[in-house]
Amino acid sequence: MLKGKVYISAAAMITSLGEGVQRNMDAVLRGESGVKLCTDSRVTQSSVMAGIIPEAVYTALRAKYGEGYTRAELLTAECVKNVLAGAPDGRTLMIIASAKGNVSLLEGRCGEGPRVPADDDPLLFGQMASRIGAMTDFPAANIRVISNACISGVSAIVIARRMILSGVCDNAVVVGVDTQNRFITSGFASFKSLSDDVCRPYDASRCGLNLGEACGAILLTRSRRSENDVAISGGAITDDANHISGPSRTGDGLYFAMRRVMDEAGVLPQQLDMLQMHGTATAYNDEMESKAASLAGLQDVPAQSLKPYFGHTMGASGVIETIIAAEELKRGVCAGTAGFSELGVPMPLNVSAANRELGENAVRHCLKTASGFGGTNAAVTLEFGGSGDGEVGGLVDIAVRECREVLIGDGSVKVDGEVVFADENADYHAFIRDAFKAGGGQNMKFYKMDDFCKLAYVAADRLLEGIDFGEEECGMVLSGRYGCLDTDMKHQQVIDSEGDAGASPAVFVYTLPNVAAGEVSIRHHIKGENTWFWSDDRQMRDIRQYAGMMMAAQDLKYCIIGYFDSIAGKYEAVFKLLERQN
């Protein structure tokens, strides 16, 4: 377990409610919503209720930064520049969290199906990061990108805190960003999960979510710079190991994250002043969260969801909502969940439409959660008014050994250098199917997975053969250059040719790279942490270091690290199993 605090010393945000933290906070407390009826052709072919940033904002940013940048890049550069102004000296990292990055660039480009993009294509997370680095005068070598579905923003905060406390860096800029487009809205519509009105989380009459676009950035520092700084005092990530698109029916995965994060922060349920939940207003998400809160003993803590104000801003949501949570702690108020009337979840949850005072506690605490596709869950604890004790963490020092390696490529599967399956003449589809069968695979759901997930699934099966562990004793850190871009192109090809109504939920669910970890988690009952990083380092030096921190922080016995790509029939995978020795 990794004890220690890091501090939010600066924050910036741009949402459908406006620019700036105070402007957004004031609007939330007034009960304003940025969710409106949208008929913009970049977002939908018909109409959708969504929190869309006005075009005038993008026009002003293009005048400032240039015409050649995407909306996501423009928002990110502006927020990052704002928080970097006056940043303290020391080693600073940037962690970009985004579910879909520049995926809007695919529109109209997929008529011939999947292809390998050029190295300088901004579709690639790595190229997007390089462009943002150039816009902000930030070294590209010091930028990391994670894509962990809708928990990406909270995941990035957890990761940044660990890196600071472990001595990897002194400061970290965490930025979450996602913009809306037909790729995303058509996919969610295919799940029939969109509401025709402003969403009503936890309410008996809730009928779905609203999408939104936003960017938020925070500067985390090792030491408190002002009495007004809010601390991040704990962080945890878990997986349901239940379903790739539906949350756990028991709430145990999220409960595990909540329990761990309270333990790290040294906070008891009765010491929490506020519970800020994911609250998408979809039937199963809200139901699951009520069960998790009950398991954690938090059913009486004032709870809220901010989705009625901003919409679900995906990778940005965890950052902008954390910023608002920090402001609420400072002001001593828990904003109401707009539109809430009657509790409609199976377990008690202390939700109100009205703003509530937090009381006169000398130290205020908030537990913030997020959940997403792939069964992912994340949580952080925020603290305001504490002494600052324990603000400097120590290096995580555990002994880890690589106990197995699986290589897949060039028509073969190798385990610790020994060929266990080979078919050099088969195309990828036949090869991966036969490799699965050769390994004794019998799960019929394998054949419904996309090519990207199949590759990770086969590699993990070989890697974990004969290995025993408890469901919370193993985690994953996966990486790749292209992620799920192959499936992204297939989804875009369908909506380009058939329109938004042609989108398939069976395809759309695989347009997130972390879903591969979700499939592996389900297969092997892994409820520990998993995260997907963009990387072009096949030696995995970049994620190997983080895996050690994660194993120490989450008390893991094993961790899978992997680099893998499957795109346009080309494939490769390098998976290693790390084992803790002390």
Side-chain angles (χ1 to χ4, degrees), residues 152 164 227 242 362 377-378 438 544:
S152 295
I164 292 172
E227 291 289 323
N242 171 70
N377 305 287
R544 173 66 172 76

Side-chain angles (χ1 to χ4, degrees), residues 174-422:
V174 177
V175 55
V177 64
D178 268 306
T179 58
Q180 289 303 323
N181 47 70
R182 288 175 53 210
F183 181 103
I184 297 168
T185 57
S186 67
F188 276 95
S190 74
F191 274 98
K192 303 188 185 304
S193 61
L194 299 180
S195 173
D196 292 332
D197 200 352
V198 178
C199 67
R200 296 183 293 278
Y202 311 113
D203 195 83
S205 63
R206 70 189 185 280
C207 57
L209 61 82
N210 306 131
L211 291 166
E213 59 186 11
C215 183
I218 57 176
L219 176 64
L220 296 178
T221 55
R222 178 180 295 273
S223 300
R224 183 162 60 180
R225 304 172 69 200
S226 161
E227 291 289 323
N228 211 36
D229 287 352
V230 172
I232 304 294
S233 55
I237 303 170
T238 60
D239 198 281
D240 291 340
N242 171 70
H243 196 277
I244 56 171
S245 61
S248 164
R249 297 301 177 91
T250 67
D252 65 344
L254 178 58
Y255 159 64
F256 291 158
M258 298 167 96
R259 181 194 65 198
R260 281 184 174 274
V261 80
M262 287 191 290
D263 287 346
E264 266 198 359
V267 177
L268 299 173
Q270 59 267 30
Q271 293 176 293
L272 285 175
D273 299 273
M274 187 172 73
L275 178 60
Q276 188 189 89
M277 305 283 274
H278 195 51
T280 60
T282 54
Y284 294 130
N285 175 86
D286 291 8
E287 179 179 304
M288 178 276 289
E289 288 188 313
S290 75
K291 293 177 180 178
S294 182
L295 289 170
L298 304 179
Q299 63 273 11
D300 296 324
V301 178
Q304 70 173 189
S305 166
L306 297 178
K307 298 299 189 295
Y309 302 103
F310 305 111
H312 188 356
T313 58
M314 298 163 52
S317 62
V319 180
I320 66 169
E321 291 171 9
T322 296
I323 292 171
I324 295 297
E327 288 300 309
E328 289 176 287
L329 291 180
K330 293 177 187 179
R331 297 193 189 192
V333 62
C334 174
T337 300
F340 178 81
S341 176
E342 177 187 357
L343 192 66
V345 291
M347 301 302 291
L349 202 59
N350 187 3
V351 186
S352 172
N355 299 337
R356 292 174 282 182
E357 292 185 2
L358 294 182
E360 300 300 326
N361 293 335
V363 181
R364 297 174 184 150
H365 298 95
C366 171
L367 194 157
K368 194 271 178 294
T369 71
S371 300
F373 278 10
T376 54
N377 305 287
V380 292
T381 43
L382 292 84
E383 177 187 301
F384 178 66
S387 66
D389 293 341
E391 62 190 28
V392 179
L395 287 172
V396 175
D397 186 17
I398 63 171
V400 173
R401 76 178 184 98
E402 296 179 4
C403 58
R404 185 172 292 171
E405 179 184 65
V406 173
L407 305 177
I408 301 180
D410 297 325
S412 70
V413 178
K414 298 178 181 178
V415 178
D416 293 335
E418 179 183 349
V419 176
V420 296
F421 173 79

Side-chain angles (χ1 to χ4, degrees), residues 4 93 150 157 258 337 353 392 412 433 460 488 537 559 567:
L93 288 179
C150 298
I157 295 171
M258 298 167 96
T337 300
V392 179
S412 70
R433 180 194 65 219
D488 291 350
D537 180 10
C559 183
I567 186 166

